[in-house]
Amino acid sequence: MFNFKNIKEFILKSLPVFLLYFLSISSFENIKEHPNFTLFSFNLHMIIIYFYTLKYPEYLGTGHIFLAGIINDVVIGIPLGTSSLSFLVMCFVTSYIRNVTLRSKMTAEWFTFIPAIFFSNLIYFLIIN
């Protein structure tokens, strides 16, 4: 029997997976094509992967991350596996940060986002070039 608590828990657990797939299908990261956002570029995939791998690793598995990367590659039109490897590097660096951290502070963890995004984009750059 479903009650409100079970439905709410199901929605909260499945939200990151649905959001990651939605962003992969819609290629929302191409917001920089808008004239008002010429200098503004971000990758929402990486932020979602970083946060949920850091705080709630049971909600977003590596299989979903890999499949979302493959879908993203098909939609954008780049070689298959490029985004997947980039997303998985982000996931593994974040897992390492989560296991090494003794006390969890959100401000300190967001400073570690910079090296995680650096290594992830480095892999992406090396594969593309």
Side-chain angles (χ1 to χ4, degrees):
M1 180 82 186
F2 281 109
N3 58 15
F4 183 70
K5 184 179 179 183
N6 289 344
I7 294 171
K8 181 179 154 185
E9 184 177 322
F10 173 74
I11 290 172
L12 287 177
K13 285 186 178 181
S14 59
L15 181 68
V17 175
F18 289 135
L19 189 59
L20 191 63
Y21 285 131
F22 174 74
L23 291 173
S24 294
I25 291 171
S26 67
S27 73
F28 180 71
E29 68 188 34
N30 294 333
I31 195 169
K32 59 187 168 190
E33 294 174 359
H34 193 275
N36 294 334
F37 296 114
T38 55
L39 297 176
F40 185 69
S41 174
F42 67 98
N43 196 341
L44 200 54
H45 294 96
M46 297 292 187
I47 295 171
I48 292 170
I49 291 169
Y50 184 79
F51 176 76
Y52 280 100
T53 305
L54 193 64
K55 293 295 180 185
Y56 307 107
E58 63 275 0
Y59 290 176
L60 190 63
T62 55
H64 287 295
I65 293 171
F66 182 79
L67 187 60
I70 293 289
I71 293 170
N72 190 34
D73 290 341
V74 170
V75 169
I76 292 175
I78 57 176
L80 285 179
T82 306
S83 295
S84 297
L85 286 176
S86 179
F87 292 168
L88 287 176
V89 166
M90 172 64 81
C91 180
F92 295 142
V93 169
T94 307
S95 296
Y96 176 75
I97 291 168
R98 185 185 70 237
N99 290 333
V100 170
T101 304
L102 295 176
R103 281 184 279 179
S104 178
K105 288 186 178 180
M106 198 59 169
T107 55
E109 289 168 348
W110 280 107
F111 283 118
T112 60
F113 179 69
I114 295 169
I117 197 87
F118 172 76
F119 286 119
S120 176
N121 286 333
L122 178 68
I123 294 297
Y124 186 82
F125 178 73
L126 289 176
I127 291 173
I128 292 295
N129 288 329

